[in-house]
Amino acid sequence: MRNRIFALAALAAATGAPLLAAQAQSDVTIGRAPAMVDGAPTIAVEQRPAFREYVIEQRVPAFRIPDRVVVGTTLPEAGVTYYDVPQRFGATTYRYTVVNGETVLVEPRSRRIVEVLD
């Protein structure tokens, strides 16, 4: 009987652990969904269409990487040019660039993608 109680307790702990881990990581979304990393402000949702038009008008050259473009990817040290986000799109410490045809916001010191703007 005691073994069954331990087995049930272990099963309950194992199935609850992913739920707790998901709750602990609720500040970051991996993939294309908007994400805010480190609490820094990003481009507001209503400003994104205008920002995309701005990037197209600037004719920013796209950089290619072999991996998928997702939040958390660290870009290479060489070969990528980062651009300031104009003040009219909001105050942000992030820079933007185009990777594999996707406009991304990047934390300039770590070169880590913090948001993929679709």
Side-chain angles (χ1 to χ4, degrees):
M1 182 66 158
R2 188 169 51 165
N3 288 341
R4 283 188 177 174
I5 293 172
F6 285 133
L8 288 173
L11 180 62
T15 57
L19 183 61
L20 292 175
Q23 289 174 349
Q25 295 177 357
S26 63
D27 290 350
V28 177
T29 303
I30 296 178
R32 294 176 146 316
M36 188 178 293
V37 178
D38 301 330
T42 61
I43 297 169
V45 174
E46 60 273 0
Q47 293 262 354
R48 290 181 186 173
F51 182 70
R52 279 191 288 276
E53 288 180 29
Y54 170 81
V55 172
I56 291 168
E57 289 170 3
Q58 297 302 306
R59 296 185 179 170
V60 173
F63 180 77
R64 302 261 338 136
I65 60 172
D67 301 323
R68 285 184 15 172
V69 178
V70 295
V71 171
T73 300
T74 300
L75 298 176
E77 239 179 284
V80 182
T81 303
Y82 303 100
Y83 305 91
D84 291 332
V85 175
Q87 187 69 32
R88 70 180 186 234
F89 296 111
T92 182
T93 58
Y94 300 134
R95 305 292 184 268
Y96 78 92
T97 193
V98 178
V99 180
N100 295 357
E102 304 277 352
T103 302
V104 297
L105 292 180
V106 178
E107 199 291 313
R109 288 187 206 141
S110 67
R111 302 176 326 277
R112 186 171 53 118
I113 296 174
V114 296
E115 188 167 1
V116 178
L117 302 167
D118 51 5

